[in-house]
Amino acid sequence: MAKAHAVTQAESHPFAHHGGRLDDARTRFPDAPTPWLDLSTGINPRAWTPPAAAIDSGSLPEVSALRALERTAAAFFGCAPEQVAAVPGSEIALRLLPQLGLPQPFTALTPSYGTHHDIAEHAVSHDALDRSGWTCGTLLLANPNNPDGYRREPSRLLALAKHAATTGGALVVDEAFADVDPGTSLIPHLDQTGNVTVLRSFGKFFGLAGVRLGFIVGQNEVIERIRYLLGDWPVSTQAIVWGTAAYSDAVWIAQTRSWLHAQAARLDSLLSRHGLSATGACPLFRLVEHRDAWRLFDLLARAGILARPFAAQPHWLRFGLPGDEAAFDRLDRALARG
């Protein structure tokens, strides 16, 4: 039987660029016990349950149904429906940002998503941004930030946006993880400034990343441009039906927010018992700094548990939430062997 070998930083590229690389993990660690426990993403492990009703995939999605989805999402976000456009996942929205007429160049806050840096020409650290802001173009940041879970209050982001407006700049805020704590979002404050665009993700909070649904929220020019680029059928009928129902499920949303905070506190406690101090204000994931994070990643992978390492920050390891008792017990036992 093939033997897995220790993962080095150079070899780990698939694991360090994105979470959810279970296919690579199975190849790299063929002797790991299955099924794999995927803690490499910030996706809710207890997903919203779609309705049992059949979805008509034989016809093109109806524009009226798409607009109903956008109205429902707008009510959930706290903005006007005309400020919202559905997209096939926030990753697509990120890739299309340079084509939306936003001021150039793009500067990405670092550390943050790999995709942010793929589209940006420049980078600015958290400390440098807090000290001096940025000079021109469009600033791209996540709030809460990934992977450290750092959260900026909407008032701070508004101040950044208003300062940028004095030099013709703009702000793009990636709120992929904002659904857990609605007070995090800048969307209800968009009418106070005309130079902010916000991205939202459906899959992370609702636990259905494979549906590939997201939203751009912003000014008319941005919304019109993204609709032109994506055409008349930007998302599938499945995404429209499930998204409309999920954003309307107030009971599930409230219960899930409470459950996620409780699970995050439990994960903090588990990690602490093994000498690992977790940080972050986003309940969907926790970041650990460890002097030998790659060895810990390797140890967990050999136990069939996929965490998220980082090539540029070799002392970091991010943990998503275990979804049930069995997952917590499995992580506990694996860490005990380290």
Side-chain angles (χ1 to χ4, degrees), residues 39 73 175 180 201 236 240 248 269 287 292 307 328-329:
L39 303 182
E175 292 187 350
V180 183
S201 170
S236 69
I240 292 172
S248 302
S269 178
L287 185 69
D292 203 0
F328 270 103
D329 180 66

Side-chain angles (χ1 to χ4, degrees), residues 70 164 182 197-198 305:
E70 293 170 343
T197 301
V198 178
I305 301 173

Side-chain angles (χ1 to χ4, degrees), residues 187-206:
I187 293 176
H189 310 281
L190 286 185
D191 290 342
Q192 298 183 43
T193 180
N195 64 335
V196 174
T197 301
V198 178
L199 310 181
R200 291 294 282 255
S201 170
F202 172 77
K204 292 180 174 63
F205 175 69
F206 289 96

Side-chain angles (χ1 to χ4, degrees), residues 103-114:
Q104 301 287 336
F106 276 77
T107 298
L109 190 66
T110 186
S112 192
Y113 288 93

Side-chain angles (χ1 to χ4, degrees), residues 140-158:
L140 173 59
L141 60 84
N143 194 51
N145 191 48
N146 175 38
D148 56 13
Y150 182 73
R151 185 176 66 185
R152 286 176 165 81
E153 293 299 320
S155 58
R156 294 178 63 193
L157 296 176
L158 278 174

Side-chain angles (χ1 to χ4, degrees), residues 60-325:
L60 288 168
E62 295 181 352
V63 173
S64 60
L66 174 64
R67 296 294 174 255
L69 165 65
E70 293 170 343
R71 287 195 301 272
T72 304
F76 178 78
F77 299 152
C79 65
E82 57 268 21
Q83 293 177 298
V84 176
V87 297
S90 55
E91 171 80 5
I92 292 293
L94 282 167
R95 300 285 179 181
L96 290 176
L97 283 175
Q99 301 181 49
L100 299 185
L102 296 170
Q104 301 287 336
F106 276 77
T107 298
L109 190 66
T110 186
S112 192
Y113 288 93
T115 303
H116 289 195
H117 298 286
D118 288 344
I119 67 170
E121 296 112 301
H122 306 289
V124 61
S125 70
H126 288 263
D127 289 343
L129 178 65
D130 290 338
R131 286 195 311 269
S132 309
W134 83 102
T135 56
C136 64
T138 297
L139 176 67
L140 173 59
L141 60 84
N143 194 51
N145 191 48
N146 175 38
D148 56 13
Y150 182 73
R151 185 176 66 185
R152 286 176 165 81
E153 293 299 320
S155 58
R156 294 178 63 193
L157 296 176
L158 278 174
L160 276 173
K162 290 177 179 178
H163 176 72
T166 63
T167 58
L171 177 65
V172 175
V173 184
D174 187 337
E175 292 187 350
F177 294 104
D179 291 337
V180 183
D181 291 302
T184 298
S185 179
L186 192 56
I187 293 176
H189 310 281
L190 286 185
D191 290 342
Q192 298 183 43
T193 180
N195 64 335
V196 174
T197 301
V198 178
L199 310 181
R200 291 294 282 255
S201 170
F202 172 77
K204 292 180 174 63
F205 175 69
F206 289 96
L208 297 171
V211 174
R212 306 312 303 142
L213 175 62
F215 300 87
I216 283 189
V217 185
Q219 306 306 311
N220 288 341
E221 297 82 2
V222 170
I223 298 303
E224 290 173 2
R225 182 62 179 165
I226 193 68
R227 285 181 175 161
Y228 171 79
L229 289 172
L230 294 179
D232 293 332
W233 305 287
V235 298
S236 69
T237 300
Q238 179 193 41
I240 292 172
V241 172
W242 288 8
T244 304
Y247 283 121
S248 302
D249 196 342
V251 172
W252 184 92
I253 289 167
Q255 291 175 344
T256 299
R257 283 171 172 163
S258 177
W259 181 81
L260 289 172
H261 281 283
Q263 291 293 97
R266 183 177 178 184
L267 178 59
D268 290 344
S269 178
L270 185 154
L271 294 170
S272 179
R273 290 200 305 272
H274 295 282
L276 302 172
S277 178
T279 60
C282 180
L284 284 166
F285 58 87
R286 287 295 193 254
L287 185 69
V288 165
E289 187 166 352
H290 189 274
R291 65 181 181 278
D292 203 0
W294 287 103
R295 184 194 64 79
L296 184 57
F297 169 83
D298 187 81
L299 172 80
L300 292 171
R302 292 172 186 276
I305 301 173
L306 187 62
R308 172 72 159 85
F310 299 89
Q313 294 86 22
H315 301 306
W316 285 5
L317 197 62
R318 194 188 66 191
F319 291 83
L321 290 183
D324 53 28
E325 293 291 331

